[in-house]
Amino acid sequence: MITAPEKNRNTDENDWLTTYADMMTLLMTFFVLLFSMSTLDPVKIQNMMNSMVDDNAKPQVSLTKVKNEVKKLLKKENLEDMIEVTKNARGVTMKIPGDFAFQTGDATVSREIKSLLIKMVPTMKEATYAIAVEGHTDNIPMRSAIFKSNWELSASRASAVVRYLISEGVDAKKFRAIGFGDTDPIVKNDSAENRAKNRRVDITFLTVG
C-alpha cells in the first residue's frame, strides 16, 4: 500500500517527464512550421497577396511553367541537346553555347539565336520575373581592335542579346546584362571542347530580381 507522501513523491518525480514531453511537442511544432514556411511557393504567396489587393490581378506565371515552356520550345526547334535548361533556387536558366550565338571574337547576335529568342518573347512578356543575361568566355586572352579583354567581349554579348529582346518588345526594366569574362567557367579550360562549353550566354528568369 502506497501512502500519501509516497504518492506525492512519485508524482513529483514524474513531473519532469510531462515537462519534457511538452517541450518535445513544442519543438516538433516549431520545426514543422519552419519546414512549411521554407517550402511555400513564392508564386502562390504573390498570387494570394495580389488577390487581396485586386480581385482582377493577373496571376504570376510559375517558374516551373517557364521551364516547361522553354524546354518545349527547345524540343520543337531541335535544340534540346545543345541548350541546357536548369531550375534551382536562383531561378530558371538557359545555357546557350557562345559559338551558336556569335561568331568567334564578335558580339553580333547570330541569325540562329535570333530565331530562337524571337520565339521566347511571349514567355518573357508574360513572366513577371527579372531576367539576367550573362556573357561568359573561355580563358584565351581577347585582344582585338574592338575588344581589349574577355570582360568587354562577354559584356558586349550580354548587352547585344538584351538589345535584341528589347527591340522585339520585351520591357527593358526586366533585364540585367552582365559580363563575367572567364571568371565563372562550368568546366576547366583544359581542352578545346571544354573551352567551347565555357563560351556561353546564360539567360536566367530570376526568383529574386
Side-chain angles (χ1 to χ4, degrees):
M1 178 176 179
I2 300 175
T3 64
E6 289 177 333
K7 288 182 179 180
N8 291 337
R9 184 169 62 252
N10 289 338
T11 301
D12 292 340
E13 289 175 350
N14 291 331
D15 280 348
W16 72 272
L17 288 174
T18 303
T19 303
Y20 178 78
D22 289 343
M23 183 179 67
M24 290 297 101
T25 300
L26 287 172
L27 282 174
M28 183 179 70
T29 303
F30 174 71
F31 285 115
V32 168
L33 178 61
L34 284 181
F35 177 77
S36 65
M37 292 176 65
S38 68
T39 56
L40 286 176
D41 188 338
V43 173
K44 291 181 179 178
I45 295 175
Q46 185 63 48
N47 289 342
M48 181 179 67
M49 293 176 65
N50 288 342
S51 65
M52 293 173 63
V53 176
D54 182 0
D55 289 339
N56 297 319
K58 182 180 179 181
Q60 185 175 356
V61 176
S62 71
L63 283 173
T64 298
K65 181 178 179 182
V66 170
K67 179 184 177 182
N68 290 340
E69 288 184 353
V70 171
K71 289 179 75 69
K72 181 179 178 180
L73 173 61
L74 294 177
K75 184 176 182 179
K76 182 178 179 181
E77 299 296 315
N78 295 317
L79 294 172
E80 56 187 334
D81 293 332
M82 178 186 295
I83 298 176
E84 180 184 3
V85 181
T86 60
K87 180 177 178 289
N88 54 34
R90 186 169 182 249
V92 173
T93 300
M94 297 174 57
K95 295 185 180 298
I96 304 173
D99 297 346
F100 174 72
F102 302 95
Q103 294 292 323
T104 302
D106 189 49
T108 302
V109 182
S110 71
R111 181 180 61 186
E112 289 79 12
I113 192 62
K114 282 183 178 180
S115 177
L116 173 64
L117 293 175
I118 191 65
K119 296 179 178 69
M120 290 185 59
V121 166
T123 298
M124 290 183 169
K125 286 183 176 180
E126 184 182 12
T128 57
Y129 304 97
I131 301 171
V133 181
E134 301 165 345
H136 300 268
T137 69
D138 58 29
N139 66 341
I140 297 177
M142 165 56 63
R143 294 186 181 89
S144 70
I146 301 175
F147 306 110
K148 303 302 181 183
S149 72
N150 284 324
W151 286 104
E152 283 94 339
L153 177 61
S154 63
S156 294
R157 286 182 167 182
S159 297
V161 170
V162 169
R163 282 197 305 272
Y164 176 72
L165 290 167
I166 292 173
S167 73
E168 294 299 330
V170 184
D171 188 352
K173 295 179 182 179
K174 287 179 179 282
F175 292 108
R176 289 99 173 95
I178 309 164
F180 282 91
D182 61 357
T183 64
D184 189 25
I186 53 178
V187 292
K188 289 184 178 181
N189 284 292
D190 55 4
S191 68
E193 181 181 359
N194 282 352
R195 284 191 290 271
K197 291 178 181 179
N198 290 328
R199 295 191 298 270
R200 67 194 192 278
V201 174
D202 291 348
I203 298 178
T204 302
F205 293 82
L206 298 168
T207 303
V208 179

